[in-house]
Amino acid sequence: MRSPKNKFVAAIALSSVALLAMTACGSDSSSSSESSDSSFELNKGKLTVCSDIPYEPFEFKEGDKIVGFDMDIAAEIAKDAKLDLDVLDDSFDSIESGLFNTRCDIAISSISITDARKAKMNFSTPYMDDDLVLIARNDSGITDLETAKDKKVGVQQATTGEKYGKENGLENLVGFEDAGLQTQALLANQVDAVLGNQSVLGYAVKDKPDYKAVANFKTGEQLGVAVPKDKAETLDLVNGTLKRLTDAGTMEELTVKWFGEK
């Protein structure tokens, strides 16, 4: 698994237009519910965020709260917008297809930036690099894609992991609605291996010595915040927050907080 520190995207450019937009969003509000920014009309006074939960450590429930790396970033975006944060649990299919834009102002859910998705939504500047990994039990006999071809390999539906598995000849893919079910199936021996992003799958087995990453795939994936196509001001606001978090060292602190590595 790649070190989360290395996944961190250090340089995020911000245009003067973005700075102006960010200033405009927050210039007159004295409380988190007084913003009148026209970019946030879905749910007045709130920044409504779609996310596919659980996807630990990015977004998951802890008691009655939704927490995680992505949720901390979402909270910072809401703070810059001077709005309350409102998180909706949405399917990744809905997010990936762009349908989230009827319910949410933005979507943040460990979304890999792809050309196909950019046709349906805009993306922020990347906030993390996240290649793919194949994880299996130590005694599974699986060492790479070739030895996994006739095995049951769990993937999360509608993700780049599923797409990569199909493109590379995995013949017995088993789809799961979310990463929580995907990793549970591996630990319960319902599948022989799992294929997906290094961040979440590596986190899932980091304290489980019977499992290991048997192959890493440098796909060049980067994660971004999704914004509806017609919301340029919202995109500028999000990019402004990411730059602020990067410049202040906060993004690195959040990475260590949730992934536990320096």
Side-chain angles (χ1 to χ4, degrees), residues 56-131:
E56 195 170 353
F58 288 93
E59 41 266 331
F60 61 101
K61 289 186 177 179
E62 193 170 78
D64 60 351
K65 296 182 179 178
I66 300 173
V67 300
F69 180 71
D70 280 348
M71 294 300 99
D72 279 354
I73 293 175
E76 294 292 337
I77 296 170
K79 183 171 74 175
D80 283 344
K82 297 192 179 301
L83 297 168
D84 293 328
L85 176 62
D86 184 23
V87 179
L88 295 184
D89 187 359
D90 203 0
S91 72
F92 198 80
D93 284 335
S94 171
I95 294 171
E96 195 260 353
S97 65
L99 292 177
F100 76 88
N101 64 7
T102 63
R103 292 186 291 278
C104 293
D105 298 304
I106 63 173
I108 181 168
S109 195
S110 184
I111 310 169
S112 295
I113 301 170
T114 68
D115 289 339
R117 290 171 183 169
K118 284 194 287 188
K120 305 168 187 172
M121 65 197 81
N122 286 329
F123 279 101
S124 70
T125 45
Y127 64 86
M128 178 177 279
D129 295 336
D130 200 5
D131 291 327

Side-chain angles (χ1 to χ4, degrees), residues 4-74:
K5 183 177 181 180
N6 292 337
K7 289 185 289 185
F8 179 62
V9 179
I12 299 175
L14 178 67
S15 68
S16 58
V17 174
L19 284 170
L20 288 171
M22 192 173 94
T23 302
C25 286
S27 59
D28 297 322
S29 295
S30 58
S31 75
S32 61
S33 60
E34 293 178 358
S35 174
S36 60
D37 193 305
S38 59
S39 294
F40 305 102
E41 295 177 338
L42 284 172
N43 196 353
K44 283 292 186 182
K46 297 182 178 180
L47 177 75
T48 309
V49 177
C50 279
S51 190
D52 179 25
I53 302 163
Y55 200 73
E56 195 170 353
F58 288 93
E59 41 266 331
F60 61 101
K61 289 186 177 179
E62 193 170 78
D64 60 351
K65 296 182 179 178
I66 300 173
V67 300
F69 180 71
D70 280 348
M71 294 300 99
D72 279 354
I73 293 175

Side-chain angles (χ1 to χ4, degrees), residues 164-186:
Y164 190 84
K166 290 179 178 177
E167 291 176 346
N168 286 275
L170 295 185
E171 299 170 353
N172 201 3
L173 292 177
V174 182
F176 295 92
E177 290 185 359
D178 59 56
L181 295 175
Q182 182 189 12
T183 54
Q184 286 173 24
L186 176 67

Side-chain angles (χ1 to χ4, degrees), residues 8-12 126-127 241-252:
F8 179 62
V9 179
I12 299 175
Y127 64 86
T241 298
L242 294 178
K243 185 180 186 304
R244 175 175 64 78
L245 296 178
T246 300
D247 291 348
T250 307
M251 192 71 85
E252 185 168 359

Side-chain angles (χ1 to χ4, degrees), residues 132 155-156 159-166 173 195-197 221:
L132 296 178
V155 293
Q156 187 180 358
T159 64
T160 51
E162 181 181 50
K163 182 173 182 289
Y164 190 84
K166 290 179 178 177
L173 292 177
L195 174 63
N197 289 103
E221 287 189 45

Side-chain angles (χ1 to χ4, degrees), residues 21 39 122 227-237:
S39 294
N122 286 329
V227 177
K229 281 284 190 182
D230 59 345
K231 299 294 183 181
E233 291 184 0
T234 303
L235 183 62
D236 288 340
L237 169 71

